[in-house]
Amino acid sequence: MQRLIPTGDAALPVAFTEAPQPVLEPGEALVKVEAFALNRGETFLLEHPRPELVPGKDIAGLVVQPAADGSGPGIGTRVVGHPAQGGWAEYTAVPTHSLAVLPDTIDSVRAAALPLAGITALRLLRTVGSLAGRRVLLTGASGGVGHYVTELAVGAGAEVTAMTAMPARGERLAELGAEVVHEVTAAQGPFDVVLESTGGPDLSVALSKVRPGGMLVWFGQASRTPVTLDFFHLLSGPERVTIQHFHYAGAPYGSDLATLVRLVAQGRLHPEIGRVADWTKTADTLVDLRERRIRGKAVLLTRGTR
């Protein structure tokens, strides 16, 4: 089968190679991949790839070999999945606890755009609890996580301010019901909750906009600039603010994937697809995603390839 592997070349970050089909571990199903999505964080991993890196975490396709233990969907079932790696391939092994069945109403392109960003958004919002009537500031809202967080939070009754440096992206976030600002200094606090994903100087500014007793959840560092917090500066800001680190990872993912699928099927969540292309264009698409030339998710199709 064909698989994409890292090259270490920034201009051509992945290349095709021949590889054997995966040998299934207990509790895994073999999925014929129809579509996979790229994540901007993956472009950073490809800059200096680890020798064992086999990329690909967001896939949709067809079960062609069910798990031997009888768990999970049967042969011929359309699924969305979140494997630990190996999804940029014609076939991939996925733990059955990290698969969800797709209805006929959801195509593989939209399904592939759900896993990492959608699971992150769900789990992030669960971390802060009930949102009805609460004021929420989301920094770094340009990516897929920002889209899903905004739509889900507004749908849950929150008053959302979304910060994005990209005017075109801001238009979409405004359509979803957010107030849009392009610098964190322009956000009008105080906020009950701040969801911070840019790092650098933005975190300390965002922290100053939390109400006394509120919460800041730090879930990313998109600027790739480390954060420095001055304890004495914090003393002059809001009191009793909780700062919490968040990372989405931790299988099983199947239940969250099923929730995302249900929300899409009900018209309550709308994946934003910025590019759909044949997977022979993966390298170029990764470069464009890294350089922020794609608005929304980038999805690659394996159908019709070699």
Side-chain angles (χ1 to χ4, degrees), residues 202-233:
D202 281 352
L203 189 144
S204 60
V205 176
L207 184 60
S208 71
K209 296 179 179 291
V210 182
R211 67 163 176 79
M215 173 187 290
L216 182 145
V217 183
W218 186 12
F219 71 101
Q221 192 163 287
S223 69
R224 309 183 78 180
T225 303
V227 170
T228 300
L229 293 178
D230 184 329
F231 177 80
F232 294 103
H233 179 70

Side-chain angles (χ1 to χ4, degrees), residues 169-185:
R169 184 62 173 167
E171 292 174 5
R172 177 57 178 151
L173 295 170
E175 290 172 1
L176 294 173
E179 178 182 348
V180 177
V181 296
H182 299 300
E183 295 182 356
V184 68
T185 54

Side-chain angles (χ1 to χ4, degrees), residues 80-82 95-101 114-115 118-119 122-123 126 250-263:
V80 57
H82 193 50
T96 56
H97 60 57
S98 294
L99 288 170
V101 175
L114 290 173
I119 294 168
L122 279 180
R123 294 183 174 187
R126 288 189 192 126
Y253 300 107
S255 176
D256 286 339
L257 287 172
T259 296
L260 294 166
V261 168
R262 174 173 55 81
L263 291 171

Side-chain angles (χ1 to χ4, degrees), residues 138-150:
L138 171 65
T139 68
S142 295
V145 174
H147 171 102
Y148 290 139
V149 166
T150 298

